[in-house]
Amino acid sequence: MPRLVPRSRRRPVSTVGAAPPERPLVVTRDETLLDDLLRLAAAASIEVEVADRPDALRSRWAAVPLVVVGYDQAETLTVLGLPRRPAVFLVGRRDDDADVWRRGVALGAEQVLFFPDDEPWLAGRFADAAEGEDGEALMVGVVGGRGGAGASVLATALSVSASRTGLSVILVDLDPLGGGLDLVLGAEGVTGLRWPDLAGSKGRLGARALQAELPGRHGLAVLSWDRGDLLSMAPEAAGAVLAAARRACDLVVLDLPRWPDPAAERAAGLCAAVLLVVPAEVRAVAAAARVAVGLTTLAADVRLVTRGPSKSGLSGADVAAALGLPLGAHLTAEPGLTEQLDRGEPPGLDDKGPLVVGCGHLLDALLRDHRVRAA
């Protein structure tokens, strides 16, 4: 990990309110180091501005998003007396060289880095600069209380409804036995990345690149399984993908399995809220009670979505009371939904249907709570 310069030894930081340009600044005359830095920048899909004359960069110093200084230029920059600023990183030669720490403090560096150990970390900072400020998309999970509860349909309808309001949405299928959300969306024939293509992911993925490579339909991107043999994802790979998804859009909707594997458990813990879908039936409530016990240990906010009508006369409030969960919405039957799905038409397109109306209420509540948490 990068080494922090002790806060007590840093000078006060002054900032300039100019809008930062897109390119980070690199200050070094070391050709080997410059090659390494250009390689990292290329991997992050960002161009850097190279300054081999430190005395000519005074006008650029405060405006760029970050500055990477080679050990060979640290003393020269310090002598220039440039104003203190955040996001200055000094790249040293050896971590056992006491002189590099002295130069880092004198320069006001935020962190001192040593290659190759700290290359992944700096690549991430380059990627941050390429994508602007890190986004914190609302992430919502959807789980069925029993098999066939309609969780995949709700996850897709929620995503389609949100996309039609102008939100940028990524729909993620984390249930390898669910048949594939690309089928529910009608995107099974669209080329793009599926989970097996991302099985080796680690570290920090480019958010824009991920979103651009996913198949999509109806204005949203979907990450689903293929029809192959892969039935699980490593938690590290799933975490890297979901972190990129959160930076890429406004809303991430996860279709979670009822009995989560480690990757799905990790994903549930990242959700701002998880919706448990339960038909208003006695046996469904009994099955959902077992799912709810495990789910509430993973997610801080679990809300119930019930489906009717109920032959047993159970209402949404009855199911909520039985499970001890807050009722997010009660959805009545959607006429012709099964036939619509068989035709490859996704749910969430009928503005007057109970599914879209219910999704609208859910989205309003979820987005309102997300804004409150972010404030």
Side-chain angles (χ1 to χ4, degrees):
M1 290 296 292
R3 285 74 168 172
L4 288 171
V5 175
R7 290 185 180 273
S8 60
R9 298 176 65 186
R10 296 185 204 163
R11 297 182 187 176
V13 173
S14 66
T15 59
V16 176
E22 296 181 357
R23 296 190 297 171
L25 184 63
V26 170
V27 188
T28 185
R29 290 183 178 178
D30 185 319
E31 293 295 332
T32 301
L33 175 59
L34 181 58
D35 287 344
D36 288 338
L37 293 173
L38 293 178
R39 170 176 51 81
L40 294 178
S45 301
I46 191 172
E47 294 183 357
V48 297
E49 180 179 349
V50 180
D52 56 4
R53 291 180 54 235
D55 58 330
L57 58 82
R58 188 178 296 275
S59 63
R60 311 286 294 121
W61 178 257
V64 295
L66 64 92
V67 182
V68 181
V69 181
Y71 178 86
D72 61 299
Q73 296 297 311
E75 277 195 318
T76 303
L77 289 186
T78 301
V79 171
L80 287 176
L82 296 168
R84 300 292 164 148
R85 54 151 294 158
V88 175
F89 310 116
L90 175 63
V91 182
R93 293 174 177 171
R94 304 190 318 272
D95 59 6
D96 61 350
D97 185 354
D99 191 47
V100 73
W101 303 105
R102 178 187 62 77
R103 294 190 183 194
V105 171
L107 181 63
E110 183 175 312
Q111 303 206 31
V112 176
L113 315 177
F114 298 95
F115 287 0
D117 290 350
D118 294 328
E119 286 188 5
W121 186 90
L122 184 57
R125 292 305 300 263
F126 278 149
D128 288 341
E131 294 172 354
E133 295 295 326
D134 279 1
E136 285 295 331
L138 169 63
M139 184 176 288
V140 179
V142 184
V143 183
R146 65 156 168 81
S152 296
V153 170
L154 178 61
T156 305
L158 199 65
S159 301
V160 172
S161 298
S163 178
R164 295 179 68 203
T165 68
L167 294 177
S168 174
V169 184
I170 295 180
L171 173 61
V172 181
D173 185 359
L174 280 166
D175 186 357
L177 301 180
L181 276 187
D182 52 353
L183 282 168
V184 183
L185 189 62
E188 67 275 12
V190 182
T191 58
L193 296 178
R194 264 73 176 180
W195 273 119
D197 302 308
L198 298 166
S201 300
K202 60 181 179 179
R204 188 187 191 285
L205 303 183
R208 294 176 184 173
L210 174 68
Q211 188 176 32
E213 294 298 327
L214 293 177
R217 196 170 179 223
H218 298 286
L220 63 96
V222 60
L223 175 55
S224 188
W225 301 85
D226 64 4
R227 309 300 177 250
D229 297 330
L230 183 68
L231 296 178
S232 64
M233 287 288 291
E236 181 185 13
V241 171
L242 293 179
R246 290 187 69 183
R247 296 193 305 273
C249 62
D250 302 310
L251 174 67
V252 180
V253 180
L254 310 180
D255 185 10
L256 297 167
R258 284 184 296 143
W259 304 114
D261 58 16
E265 287 184 351
R266 179 171 179 173
L270 296 173
C271 291
V274 176
L275 307 177
L276 179 62
V277 184
V278 182
E281 304 166 1
V282 173
R283 290 186 64 192
V285 174
R290 301 183 67 187
V291 178
V293 169
L295 196 58
T296 52
T297 65
L298 301 174
D301 184 351
V302 180
R303 309 182 189 190
L304 183 67
V305 176
T306 56
R307 293 180 53 227
S310 169
K311 295 181 179 179
S312 59
L314 289 176
S315 66
D318 294 331
V319 178
L323 296 177
L325 295 173
L327 181 62
H330 178 74
L331 306 176
T332 58
E334 180 92 4
L337 179 60
T338 301
E339 292 78 7
Q340 177 184 336
L341 294 173
D342 286 342
R343 292 194 300 268
E345 299 173 7
L349 297 176
D350 182 2
D351 290 333
K352 297 181 180 180
L355 187 56
V356 171
V357 173
C359 286
H361 292 319
L362 284 170
L363 280 171
D364 287 345
L366 292 166
L367 290 169
R368 181 179 62 249
D369 293 346
H370 182 59
R371 286 190 292 268
V372 170
R373 292 189 186 103

